[in-house]
Amino acid sequence: HSGVIVISGLDPGYFVVEETVPPSNFTLSANNRQHAFLRPDGTSIVEVTFSNLPYSSMIITLRCSVTGAPIPNGEFKVTNSGGAVVGTDNGHFWTNLQGEILIPNVVPDSYVVTQVTVPPQYVIQLVQSTQTIRVDPTGRIYRVDFFSDPLSNLLITLRCEVTGQPVQGGEFRITNSAGNVVGSTNGIFFTDLQGEILIPGLGVDSYVVTQLNAPDGFRLGTRRGNKQPNDFYTTPRRDLRLKLHQ
């Protein structure tokens, strides 16, 4: 299509030309109503030019807050300033392998973008889980960036303070900064054959690790020197033998 309308055979006089409906994915501009005068000379050609403003696009990105790597399968909900959902899936969109959502032909408005879910190995950053973005009819791409925190693993070790060998059966209790216990066993964990406790999938927080009991043959040790924060040492008990003489 050429974008041109030709109207011939008009009587001389004044005319009002008004654009009432813009093309698909365009908006009406401020000059959608114009006046034209056709002289009674039989040869006059009057040209009236209208301009339309193109819809823009919105891109939503989701990346790891630590590595910057893209995160696929992150779920978002997008609504406009009136609360109406965007798109055909009740306002829900999911990031692709590049950690992106591209929404084309966005009607000019303000939009609220809310992060709904992330893959199991990540947690949502609550402070920026909802963002508002203004999209104007400029034909450009408007960008809103989100970051999610990766879950981490906590490794606790227990070793003999004398030999350095791993100690199995040490009992520990783990709580977070709010005092809530970690895990499904009231926060209680025991070291394995390697003298270790591995707790996966912990979110960003501070954790308190407390050694409650040492296994048989050991007693609770003291943490001193430049040991790592989650390395514990326990002291072996020593038998006292008495020899009685008559």
Side-chain angles (χ1 to χ4, degrees), residues 137-159:
T138 60
R140 58 174 282 226
I141 296 177
Y142 289 81
R143 181 186 181 105
V144 55
D145 296 319
F146 287 81
F147 293 88
S148 288
D149 297 322
L151 295 177
S152 300
N153 300 329
L154 174 62
L155 178 64
I156 302 165
T157 67
L158 179 61
R159 297 184 179 278

Side-chain angles (χ1 to χ4, degrees), residues 84-193:
V85 297
V86 175
T88 58
D89 200 2
N90 199 32
H92 290 264
F93 299 86
W94 286 264
T95 53
N96 58 19
L97 290 176
Q98 288 72 45
E100 297 177 345
I101 296 167
L102 178 62
I103 306 175
N105 301 320
V106 178
V107 177
D109 200 350
S110 293
Y111 292 88
V112 178
V113 183
T114 302
Q115 190 174 6
V116 180
T117 62
V118 287
Q121 64 270 34
Y122 291 91
V123 292
I124 294 174
Q125 286 189 350
L126 295 180
V127 293
Q128 59 115 232
S129 60
T130 298
Q131 298 188 49
T132 301
I133 183 172
R134 173 71 193 180
V135 176
D136 294 316
T138 60
R140 58 174 282 226
I141 296 177
Y142 289 81
R143 181 186 181 105
V144 55
D145 296 319
F146 287 81
F147 293 88
S148 288
D149 297 322
L151 295 177
S152 300
N153 300 329
L154 174 62
L155 178 64
I156 302 165
T157 67
L158 179 61
R159 297 184 179 278
C160 174
E161 194 162 18
V162 175
T163 66
Q165 293 299 308
V167 177
Q168 182 185 10
E171 182 182 4
F172 290 81
R173 188 169 190 262
I174 304 169
T175 58
N176 62 16
S177 59
N180 300 319
V181 297
V182 173
S184 57
T185 55
N186 199 33
I188 303 300
F189 297 85
F190 296 87
T191 53
D192 58 17
L193 285 171

